Structure formats: C-alpha cells, structure tokens
Amino acid sequence: MIEPEDGRVAKTILVVEDNDLNLRLFCDLLAAHGYRPEAVQDGRDVLARAQAVLPDLIVMDIQLPHVSGLELIEAIRGDADLAAIPIMAVTAYAAKGDEERIRLAGVDAYVPKPVTVTRFLEAVRGLIGAAG
Ligand code: MN
C-alpha cells in the first residue's frame, strides 16, 4: 500500500476488468501514479468488494462475463453505501446508444477502448484529483 508523505491513505480505486492484460495494465498505471488499485476480475464480486473497500473511484469495464458492467453500475447507484462513488466506464464501442445508456445509468466519465495512458489518467484525475 502506498502512503503519501503527509500520512493520508492513498486514494483507492476499484478496477473491474475481466481481461488479464488490461487489468494488470490499469492497476500498474494507477499504482505508478500513487493511487492504490484494488483489482476485481469477476463482476460477481464487485458489490461485495466495493462494500468492503469503499473506494474513492470505480473503474468499470462494461463487457464482462456473468454480469454486465451496466447492470453493476445500476446496482451501485441503487446502493445507499455506494451510490456516491464516482464511476468511470471503460468500454469498447459496441452498439449505437450504448454510450447514452451507460451515461444514463449514472457514470461520471466514459473512456472508450482502446484506452490511451494519457486519456485514462486524465479521466481519473478529473474525477478524484491527483494521487497525493
Ligand atoms: Mn471486458
């Protein structure tokens, strides 16, 4: 765990992504910039992990096996403990209207795949500020 020099706990980011490589890349990138990533690969674990961690931000892949990111966003927004946590959707373009549906579900940022490092970090900083 990374502790900023002033003693505050690093901002925690729940990273939901089923793809091994993307999950590793997102988590490494966030850790390298002073955030504390919490990886979740199985969408079915998201609500329990979010309740346990109460992250500062949730990075949500939309295309997941078992449960869609859109359903998870709706569940998070409907949960009293989690509703106020910013959500950044990360998704490949799928069908016309998908981005609007995802935005209407209550995400705070929408980052299309393929994700560039610059765009990813700008979106994170835009939502929760720099790490330290
Ligand atoms: Mn996926």
Side-chain angles (χ1 to χ4, degrees):
M1 182 162 118
I2 296 164
E3 299 286 354
E5 287 181 11
D6 64 5
R8 283 175 300 119
V9 175
K11 291 172 183 170
T12 303
I13 303 179
L14 200 71
V15 181
V16 183
E17 169 64 74
D18 62 302
N19 178 277
D20 287 326
L21 185 59
N22 283 342
L23 183 64
R24 179 75 174 270
L25 284 170
F26 293 160
C27 288
D28 285 353
L29 185 59
L30 292 168
H33 287 80
Y35 299 101
R36 187 159 68 94
E38 286 280 338
V40 181
Q41 195 158 17
D42 188 328
R44 295 170 294 189
D45 297 335
V46 168
L47 294 176
R49 290 289 299 283
Q51 288 279 3
V53 171
L54 293 176
D56 296 289
L57 172 69
I58 298 172
V59 172
M60 179 71 74
D61 180 27
I62 299 297
Q63 283 81 27
L64 297 166
H66 312 299
V67 56
S68 82
L70 188 57
E71 289 173 75
L72 290 171
I73 291 163
E74 289 168 349
I76 289 164
R77 286 295 174 251
D79 183 298
D81 296 328
L82 307 177
I85 298 172
I87 301 175
M88 178 175 136
V90 179
T91 183
Y93 178 83
K96 198 170 181 178
D98 277 6
E99 179 173 349
E100 191 186 358
R101 282 182 65 209
I102 292 164
R103 287 190 186 280
L104 285 173
V107 301
D108 301 276
Y110 180 96
V111 177
K113 286 181 180 174
V115 177
T116 69
V117 167
T118 304
R119 179 94 192 264
F120 185 85
L121 287 172
E122 277 176 0
V124 169
R125 288 192 192 109
L127 293 171
I128 60 168

